[in-house]
């Protein structure tokens, strides 16, 4: 009997990724989608994970992307942190940008069993520690540096989100 079977990581056959970008950047990123998809697939392969396909889509509306992520329509999203923070129980924030207020999040859906904790860990490593992953992130997010979120950095985003929501409420009155 092979006792290692239980330790085998289940990979999804394909990965659906949505990138939320500024409207001004959309055309540039759109022209790079195939190249970016290859970079992400290479980054995953460099960590020992071969996927059949990595499909990238583009959005300029982070709130819609967050909805799609928590519903399982997409597997991974790079989006404004304030758009995913209300859903942090239904999506795992893998990484946050290292800004004073972390403005960008990399988040994974928790709706799909194929996106196991072990796979999510590989995804984090592929994006942040491989050359192809870093090239992918710099093409999408510029100079932003990403690291795993801490309770403190998540709290900064939560507080910023609350501040934005209260300002929005003041404008509606």
């Amino acid at each position: 009997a092979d006792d290692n079977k239980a330790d085998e990581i289940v990979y999804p056959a394909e990965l659906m990724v949505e990138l939320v970008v500024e409207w001004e950047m959309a055309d540039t990123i759109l022209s790079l989608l195939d190249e970016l998809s290859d970079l992400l697939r290479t980054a995953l392969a460099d960590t020992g994970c071969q996927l059949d396909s990595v499909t990238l889509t583009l959005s300029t509306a982070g709130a819609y992307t967050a909805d799609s992520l928590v519903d399982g329509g997409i597997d991974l999203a790079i989006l404004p942190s304030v758009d995913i923070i209300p859903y942090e129980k239904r999506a795992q924030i893998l990484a946050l940008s290292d800004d004073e207020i972390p403005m960008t999040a990399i988040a994974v859906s928790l709706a799909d069993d194929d996106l196991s904790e072990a796979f999510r860990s590989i995804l984090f490593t592929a994006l942040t520690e491989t050359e192809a992953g870093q090239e992918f992130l710099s093409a999408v997010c510029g100079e932003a540096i990403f690291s795993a979120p801490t309770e403190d950095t998540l709290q900064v985003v939560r507080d910023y989100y609350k501040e934005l929501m209260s300002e929005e409420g003041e404008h509606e009155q």
Side-chain angles (χ1 to χ4, degrees):
D2 188 355
D3 292 335
N4 290 337
K5 279 287 182 227
D7 295 338
E8 250 179 57
I9 297 171
V10 176
Y11 299 122
E14 60 179 1
L15 196 64
M16 295 291 294
V17 181
E18 189 151 287
L19 311 172
V20 178
V21 297
E22 298 285 330
W23 182 251
E24 303 78 45
M25 288 293 298
D27 284 345
T28 304
I29 299 290
L30 203 54
S31 69
L32 297 173
L33 280 185
D34 288 342
E35 188 182 324
L36 290 170
S37 178
D38 290 343
L39 277 173
L40 187 50
R41 197 170 24 259
T42 300
L44 284 160
D46 289 349
T47 57
C49 173
Q50 299 286 341
L51 297 187
D52 294 344
S53 80
V54 173
T55 304
L56 295 182
T57 55
L58 212 53
S59 169
T60 55
Y64 291 115
T65 298
D67 284 341
S68 187
L69 185 72
V70 298
D71 291 340
I74 51 177
D75 303 315
L76 176 75
I78 298 178
L79 72 172
S81 56
V82 292
D83 289 321
I84 195 61
I85 207 76
Y87 299 106
E88 62 180 316
K89 302 268 186 280
R90 296 172 56 200
Q92 180 186 352
I93 297 174
L94 282 185
L96 287 170
S97 56
D98 284 343
D99 314 304
E100 190 176 333
I101 297 173
M103 299 307 274
T104 307
I106 301 172
V108 181
S109 177
L110 296 177
D112 186 346
D113 292 340
D114 280 351
L115 303 174
S116 66
E117 196 170 325
F119 177 71
R120 296 192 304 263
S121 173
I122 286 170
L123 209 43
F124 175 80
T125 301
L127 285 166
T128 60
E129 295 176 24
T130 68
E131 197 174 313
Q134 289 170 354
E135 203 175 318
F136 171 85
L137 286 177
S138 73
V140 175
C141 305
E143 298 301 307
I145 294 169
F146 288 88
S147 54
T150 63
E151 189 51 41
D152 289 345
T153 56
L154 288 169
Q155 194 56 51
V156 168
V157 176
R158 289 181 199 117
D159 292 345
Y160 181 61
Y161 173 75
K162 283 183 194 146
E163 192 181 305
L164 289 176
M165 290 299 100
S166 69
E167 285 173 14
E168 208 169 274
E170 287 169 20
H171 293 300
E172 287 169 11
Q173 292 171 2

